Amino acid sequence: MRSAGFLTFGSASSGFILNNYATADALAVVARVGIFSSVTFSYPLLFFGLRDGVIGLLRLDGAKEGVHRVATVALLALVNSLACVMKDLGLVTALGGAILGSTIVYTLPALMALATSAKNKADGKAPLLGPLETAFNYALVPLGGALAVIGAAMTLKAA
């Protein structure tokens, strides 16, 4: 959809490509309804994952039920406030791609390999990685972080 929209409107296209189409365009209306439905029905699923992840990260998952309510209200306020302020979906997508792309490609695999190797060593098994591979994986972690920061800075600079 985005590619077809960009090919239609070129560099004059907005971050949300459907904004370039007329409000009376029947196919654009169908696409808008589809996006509305997708966001409406996927938001609760994604939000509960976010809330449970934050609670787990803060190690509050064994706490009272009130923690879930407070976390729900606080995260809803934060997410919806950001949604009200952020108008350029292209910037959000580019920023997410810059940060998450580097993290998924460089940082997370290196951390998983190092953790698995350490667990194997602790269990008395042969380590997964040799010394040179371990050094390279330790180097990949800050490299991924640096590339994420550079990508985010370049994205914000271009905005």
Side-chain angles (χ1 to χ4, degrees):
M1 178 70 176
R2 286 184 274 173
S3 298
F6 185 77
L7 291 174
T8 303
F9 299 106
S11 62
S13 59
S14 73
F16 183 53
I17 201 68
L18 289 175
N19 286 343
N20 293 321
Y21 290 95
T23 56
D25 187 341
L27 291 176
V29 170
V30 169
R32 286 183 181 102
V33 168
I35 289 175
F36 173 79
S37 300
S38 173
V39 170
T40 300
F41 294 114
S42 65
Y43 187 86
L45 297 172
L46 297 171
F47 180 78
F48 289 144
L50 171 68
R51 183 196 63 195
D52 292 346
V54 168
I55 288 173
L57 187 65
L58 297 175
R59 299 174 194 244
L60 298 173
D61 36 359
K64 298 178 184 175
E65 189 173 320
V67 171
H68 275 34
R69 289 190 184 112
V70 170
T72 299
V73 170
L75 287 172
L76 274 174
L78 175 69
V79 168
N80 289 322
S81 296
L82 287 173
C84 289
V85 173
M86 300 293 292
K87 298 295 182 196
D88 186 4
L89 295 177
L91 175 64
V92 173
T93 303
L95 202 55
I99 295 168
L100 296 175
S102 296
T103 303
I104 291 170
V105 171
Y106 297 105
T107 307
L108 293 180
L111 290 173
M112 287 187 281
L114 290 167
T116 303
S117 185
K119 186 177 183 310
N120 282 358
K121 190 174 181 181
D123 291 344
K125 299 176 186 174
L128 179 68
L129 305 172
L132 187 59
E133 292 168 317
T134 301
F136 278 125
N137 278 290
Y138 275 117
L140 279 175
V141 174
L143 174 67
L147 290 174
V149 169
I150 291 169
M154 296 304 292
T155 300
L156 292 173
K157 182 179 177 183

